Amino acid sequence: MTTAGSEPRWLGRVDRWTRSHGWAADILATLTALVVLGTLSVSGAQGISWPTGWIITLITCFAVLHLTVALRSRAPEIAYVVAALVMLVIVLAPDGRVTNQVAGGPGHVPALFLPSSLVFLLDLYSVAARTDAVRSRIALAVALAGAAIATGATADALRQFTAGGWLVGIYVLLGLATAVLMTWNLGRFAQVRRRRALVERAESARLAVLEERARIAREMHDIVAHSLAVIVRQAEGGAFVAAQSPDQAGQSLRTIADTGREALADMRGLLGVLRDSRADAAGLADSANPGDVPNAPRPTLADLPRLVAGVRRTGIDAELTESGEAFALGAATELAVYRLAQEGLTNAVKYAGRPAHVAVGLIWAPTELTVQVVDDGRGSDAPVPGSGAGLLGLGERIAAVGGTFSADRLERGFRVRACFARPTAGGRP
């Protein structure tokens, strides 16, 4: 049983292969119908004779009917109209005489009974699957009318099998009408499935854009908020000591310059990744010049000492501690650890005040890594932990890699904490 979101995979594969190969798929379908139905028709017509003129007409009609299969994807309406006209000729053709009649067997057979007549259903399916509702319903009405005409034209042949010919005629009409309706409905279902696939692809693209925007917002916050917090703190300190200690003011300016330079490098790297992603999505990767904007590598655990040292230069006593035996983490998890430390340090710079102590701790256990950033600042004017966009985005980032996140206000200061399960052999926690 399949649902709207889980249709058989082979249908999707056939649809994709048909769309991607174009004429090759149509020619293959034509040859398949010709080999299977055409061969059966030739074999079944061996013991049946028609007048010479009708033999030529029927051969031409069946050949044209088979050729319409090649047009059913590119021009389904034309293929269907041609097939309907050809089928009308085949239905109105005189019955063929059976040359080697057996005792009790039929003496004449309608040309409609030859297997190649089933090709008409392929054209009906195509016009139902590839045209609008109005045209497909017109095609259905034509096919049902053809079923009625075919039932009337084969009445004499049907009387050979039973005395109740009118009852058999009703059964045949119902059978033909059922075949027509089922084929038409399959075509409409194929069209609905194709449209649904387009809607799902569009929705997937929209969700991907929203997810990318959220990721960009988190990255921009992580880069800009931390850098600006350090710059503001250094500028305030430099202005305060400028008159008494020019050397310390110069140190503050150098820290501001270094922090701004690092932020610009991170921004260039982020913009470079965004540009490359858009070029790949549009199929234009070859036109991008990778030398224009350098793609800075994403931060890892090895960058934590530099991050802590930058905060220490603001006058806050920051330290990095690590205990236990480290194990390998994925790149996404390492980035989440780095952003956790960065967010905690940023909050300490903004709210902890002076003097303050902030500790970044990495606690490696056999089955998990615990990362926490704890400060003992007063935090009197700080928002409730978890209410800011930075902590909300951080929680989403950590949850995306399978971690757990918490942010708590302590009696004195704040603590942000996350736990990451050790990856298994398959690469997942």
Side-chain angles (χ1 to χ4, degrees):
M1 181 177 179
T2 59
T3 61
S6 59
E7 63 185 15
R9 293 183 178 180
W10 65 269
L11 283 176
R13 294 194 187 102
V14 171
D15 195 32
R16 288 191 298 271
W17 189 89
T18 301
R19 291 198 309 269
S20 61
H21 289 77
W23 281 109
D26 293 335
I27 293 174
L28 179 61
T30 302
L31 293 177
T32 301
L34 183 62
V35 170
V36 177
L37 299 178
T39 301
L40 291 176
S41 296
V42 171
S43 177
Q46 293 297 320
I48 307 174
S49 67
W50 282 275
T52 303
W54 275 107
I55 291 177
I56 297 174
T57 300
L58 290 175
I59 291 176
T60 302
C61 287
F62 281 118
V64 172
L65 185 62
H66 277 281
L67 289 176
T68 58
V69 178
L71 295 175
R72 65 189 188 93
S73 296
R74 307 280 177 167
E77 296 101 330
I78 295 176
Y80 183 76
V81 170
V82 173
L85 293 175
V86 167
M87 283 299 298
L88 181 61
V89 175
I90 293 173
V91 168
L92 297 179
D95 295 345
R97 183 174 58 86
V98 178
T99 55
N100 296 319
Q101 184 178 3
V102 297
H108 52 91
V109 178
L112 177 65
F113 287 1
L114 294 177
S116 287
S117 299
L118 296 175
V119 172
F120 175 76
L121 295 179
L122 293 177
D123 294 317
L124 175 61
Y125 170 88
S126 298
V127 79
R130 299 177 183 276
T131 61
D132 56 45
V134 174
R135 295 182 182 181
S136 66
R137 288 170 184 166
I138 292 175
L140 174 62
V142 171
L144 291 175
I149 295 173
T151 301
T154 57
D156 290 340
L158 295 175
R159 292 191 184 96
Q160 300 176 87
F161 301 96
T162 177
W166 65 271
L167 187 60
V168 175
I170 292 177
Y171 290 153
V172 171
L173 177 60
L174 291 176
L176 293 177
T178 300
V180 167
L181 287 171
M182 290 182 63
T183 302
W184 184 83
N185 278 306
L186 284 175
R188 298 305 296 173
F189 169 75
Q191 185 176 107
V192 171
R193 184 180 60 84
R194 189 178 297 112
R195 289 179 176 176
R196 185 184 64 198
L198 292 175
V199 172
E200 289 177 351
R201 284 197 293 270
E203 182 65 13
S204 297
R206 188 183 70 85
L207 292 177
V209 170
L210 293 177
E211 183 178 352
E212 182 67 8
R213 287 177 178 175
R215 186 186 70 83
I216 294 169
R218 290 195 298 267
E219 294 288 346
M220 293 290 285
H221 175 275
D222 294 337
I223 294 171
V224 175
H226 177 78
S227 301
L228 287 181
V230 173
I231 289 173
V232 169
R233 178 56 61 90
Q234 287 294 325
E236 290 175 345
F240 180 76
V241 302
Q244 293 84 3
S245 179
D247 292 339
Q248 292 185 13
Q251 177 63 34
S252 296
L253 292 175
R254 284 190 293 271
T255 301
I256 291 173
D258 293 339
T259 304
R261 192 177 297 109
E262 291 175 2
L264 286 175
D266 289 340
M267 292 286 288
R268 292 192 187 99
L270 178 59
L271 293 176
V273 171
L274 293 177
R275 187 204 60 183
D276 290 345
S277 300
R278 292 174 180 175
D280 290 340
L284 301 174
D286 293 339
S287 65
N289 182 5
D292 291 343
V293 180
N295 289 339
R298 288 188 174 185
T300 63
L301 297 183
D303 297 303
L304 287 178
R306 177 177 59 86
L307 179 67
V308 174
V311 173
R312 192 179 297 121
R313 289 196 296 267
T314 67
I316 292 179
D317 181 18
E319 66 172 341
L320 173 65
T321 61
E322 189 171 2
S323 62
E325 184 177 353
F327 48 79
L329 296 172
T333 303
E334 288 201 21
L335 179 60
V337 172
Y338 182 90
R339 295 307 187 196
L340 173 71
Q342 187 179 52
E343 181 67 21
L345 292 170
T346 300
N347 288 337
V349 170
K350 292 166 64 176
Y351 304 121
R354 296 186 187 183
H357 175 77
V358 56
V360 179
L362 277 67
I363 305 169
W364 300 88
T367 59
E368 67 178 8
L369 166 64
T370 301
V371 184
Q372 63 180 11
V373 183
V374 182
D375 70 74
D376 60 359
R378 62 182 184 275
S380 59
D381 56 348
V384 176
S387 64
L391 293 180
L392 291 175
L394 184 61
E396 294 177 359
R397 181 192 295 276
I398 293 173
V401 297
T404 59
F405 172 75
S406 63
D408 306 299
R409 173 178 286 171
L410 305 178
E411 183 178 354
R412 186 174 180 84
F414 290 122
R415 178 182 65 187
V416 290
R417 185 173 183 269
C419 294
F420 303 90
R422 181 171 186 165
T424 60
R428 292 182 177 273

